[in-house]
Amino acid sequence: KEANEVFKQLEAKYPKNPDYKVRWGRMMLDHAQPTDAQDLFGEALEIKKDHAGALLGLALVAAENFEARAGDLATRALESDPKLVEAQELLARIALEDNDNPKATEEARKALAMDPNSQEGKAILATIDLLADKKETVWDPHTAKGYETIGHFFVMNRRYEEGIQYYRKAIELDPQLYSARSQLGVNLMRLGQNEEAYKQLEICFNNDFQDAATRNSLKLMDSYKNFVTFTTPTTILKLHKKEAELLRPYFQSEMERAMATYEKKYKLKLAKPVQVEVYPDHEDFAVRTLGMPGLGALGVTFGYAVAMDSPSGRKPGTFHWASTLWHEMSHVYTLTATGHRVPRWFTEGLAVHEETAISPDWGDRLSPDVIGAIKNKKLLPVAELDRGFIHPTAPAQVIVSYFQAGRICDYINEKFGWDTLLAMLHDFGAGEETSAVVRKELKIEPEEFDKRFLAYIEADTKNSVDHFDEWKKSLKSLVEKSAAKDWDGVIKEGTAIRDMYPDYVEEHSVYETLAAAYLAKGDKPAAIAELLLYEKIGGREPESLKLLSKTLQEAGRNAEAADALNRLNFIYPMDAAAHRSLGGLWLVQGNVKGAIREYAAVV
């Protein structure tokens, strides 16, 4: 605080000195004020447009958020000052975050050529050795900041236990390195070691290290008193008191079903219970994922612990909680099977594959972002796919990378079989890299694999990609006709464009618009046909699924009516009327156990 006052005086006296602004910005960055830091670096660049320190400062801010531009900014800083070792170190760090070991080694060696004592350069080279399970490394930095860097990379590679050990080494050497102490606390919390986590984070907070992760993690642990824990010999389920009794039967049965399925598929029996935490407040869940790159913002897995949003924390119809749970539970198996050595793209790819393997209408549909990426040839080579998760060039690239990784696993499963995917998983567990694993198990070069996969995906999505622009234009006019109640116009236009992009089940989907038009004209069988298609493709809007159930019931098709409402349980189980209807339908069909569960949900 005193330094801050001095900087204010300096700036008032020398408003045109960019060095003072940069130094002040670096202090802000060290004390978890990235926005203020960014503003100061920007002001310095207004005074001197190629100020190396200011460019480096902006690169460091971008790197903290895993932004793709961090590398470009660091390169520009180096062009401005070729001796700026910190910028060189940052390039090494970014390459290693992308799992590009050869490039990371090259950049780290350049940093050591500039400064033989570069602790970050040594830490990067040490990390490469240690992640490859070498017991010793000649590059051991023997410094607190160096061990903090190694801890960062172990956590990024989801090797949390080992990451924690390196953070401990860092604070043994420098008890005042609060950035490392905070990360120690956050990762202890991730693994459920809350008592020590709280202690470590409190030390940071009381010493004025109050970044978002520290502050929010302490707040989150204070809220744990509002949660109830249910345990069985193989599961631990933590739910918020206000919804625990309602959600428990649904989550418990899906956890058990997923574990029984995965135990067979992955040929793996877990050594300890899996813990699932379900947060009704999305901000609480977000705290669990702070500082993690490229995560889908619905669920996250830390070894045997899964944290995810509750269906009540999202707008009804926008979130399929069961699909997310199966996705995250698959990570528990792939991480365990490989000792947390599986690359991000492969564990995410298998998890996305598992969503639709359990039920074709689960998982995410082909989105406009993905269509754009296929159309504009923006899919990444398999050997570089991790980059799409860790340093995306735009938020949409993360979505595209999830899709691509999932479809790569679908493709391998289809063409080479499930055993090949399992063999790849075990290769990754043995520390092999993507290119080597592709050569070994698929018997082709990675470039040839990319070519074949692209041909497969382009053929599979051709209809939607080719018709997308035409469909988009027509959808606008369809929505206008629907608003004007021009039902004949809706039916004519809707039937013409529906199959151009059949995966689209979001707002104003053609299926729902057509169903409304048919019902307005009294044609119930045609409305049912559209809503059944909507359900089968993966439509999630609760009102549409309830409408389908009601219309089917009126047509005497009770089993299908019950099925539509049961699907809603996996999407939004907070609807008492839907539970009451399903209970009644199941009771009539003799499913007494199911009816009891549904009436219990109403209560």
Side-chain angles (χ1 to χ4, degrees), residues 77-356:
L78 268 176
E79 283 164 2
S80 192
D81 177 1
K83 290 193 173 72
L84 190 58
V85 69
E86 250 189 301
Q88 185 57 55
E89 290 169 340
L90 184 58
L91 288 174
R93 187 184 181 97
I94 291 165
L96 190 52
E97 284 176 346
D98 283 338
N99 278 331
D100 189 341
N101 287 2
K103 189 173 182 207
T105 303
E106 184 192 332
E107 301 291 7
R109 285 184 184 278
K110 282 184 194 169
L112 285 163
M114 289 179 188
D115 175 5
N117 294 318
S118 160
Q119 56 180 349
E120 187 77 352
K122 286 180 187 174
I124 298 288
L125 294 169
T127 301
I128 293 168
D129 284 346
L130 295 166
L131 283 171
D133 297 316
K134 289 186 182 166
K135 291 279 176 279
E136 298 287 325
T137 171
V138 296
W139 301 108
D140 189 327
H142 299 291
T143 64
K145 289 291 282 179
Y147 289 135
E148 181 182 31
T149 294
I150 297 170
H152 163 80
F153 281 105
F154 271 90
V155 166
M156 267 202 68
N157 283 278
R158 307 185 191 212
R159 290 166 68 171
Y160 303 104
E161 303 269 5
E162 293 154 286
I164 283 168
Q165 295 315 315
Y166 284 107
Y167 285 129
R168 287 196 195 284
K169 277 179 119 170
I171 60 173
E172 268 169 35
L173 287 171
D174 180 1
Q176 290 185 313
L177 186 57
Y178 296 114
S179 51
R181 192 180 286 278
S182 168
Q183 279 303 306
L184 171 62
V186 166
N187 284 289
L188 287 165
M189 179 188 79
R190 284 170 174 162
L191 298 188
Q193 297 170 38
N194 294 333
E195 212 171 296
E196 192 195 347
Y198 200 90
K199 232 182 262 174
Q200 297 290 359
L201 291 165
E202 208 170 29
I203 293 171
C204 296
F205 192 86
N206 293 339
N207 282 281
D208 280 338
F209 186 85
Q210 299 176 3
D211 69 337
T214 305
R215 261 193 342 266
N216 294 340
S217 299
L218 284 167
K219 208 165 104 193
L220 175 61
M221 283 190 280
D222 284 336
S223 79
Y224 281 171
K225 60 182 179 293
N226 301 321
F227 284 76
V228 195
T229 304
F230 303 98
T231 56
T232 74
T234 56
T235 63
I236 300 164
L237 179 59
K238 288 176 84 164
L239 298 165
H240 196 282
K241 281 176 184 169
K242 68 181 181 184
E243 57 188 24
E245 291 304 325
L246 167 65
L247 293 182
R248 186 189 174 188
Y250 299 98
F251 272 80
Q252 190 67 49
S253 70
E254 281 313 295
M255 281 173 79
E256 286 166 7
R257 190 161 77 108
M259 288 170 77
T261 303
Y262 291 154
E263 198 173 294
K264 280 198 193 88
K265 280 187 89 165
Y266 293 96
K267 301 179 177 148
L268 175 70
K269 201 164 178 55
L270 297 177
K272 54 186 183 182
V274 177
Q275 177 168 307
V276 173
E277 306 162 16
V278 184
Y279 293 99
D281 181 347
H282 177 71
E283 288 314 306
D284 283 344
F285 161 69
V287 173
R288 300 291 264 128
T289 67
L290 271 172
M292 307 292 288
L295 280 162
L298 303 169
V300 61
T301 302
F302 304 105
Y304 277 77
V306 169
M308 62 181 281
D309 273 332
S310 163
S312 66
R314 295 258 162 183
K315 183 171 171 273
T318 59
F319 174 46
H320 196 297
W321 68 264
S323 188
T324 298
L325 179 67
W326 278 71
H327 178 111
E328 297 305 330
M329 293 285 277
S330 113
H331 286 318
V332 176
Y333 283 81
T334 55
L335 291 171
T336 304
T338 60
H340 292 241
R341 283 155 179 78
V342 58
R344 191 173 296 270
W345 78 265
F346 194 71
T347 184
E348 294 299 356
L350 280 173
V352 171
H353 167 80
E354 294 293 10
E355 290 181 61
T356 46

Side-chain angles (χ1 to χ4, degrees), residues 463-480:
N463 175 48
S464 299
V465 172
D466 288 353
H467 290 107
F468 183 66
D469 293 336
E470 186 188 341
W471 171 87
K472 204 159 60 169
K473 211 161 47 194
S474 300
L475 185 72
K476 196 166 175 282
S477 118
L478 183 72
V479 172
E480 285 162 5

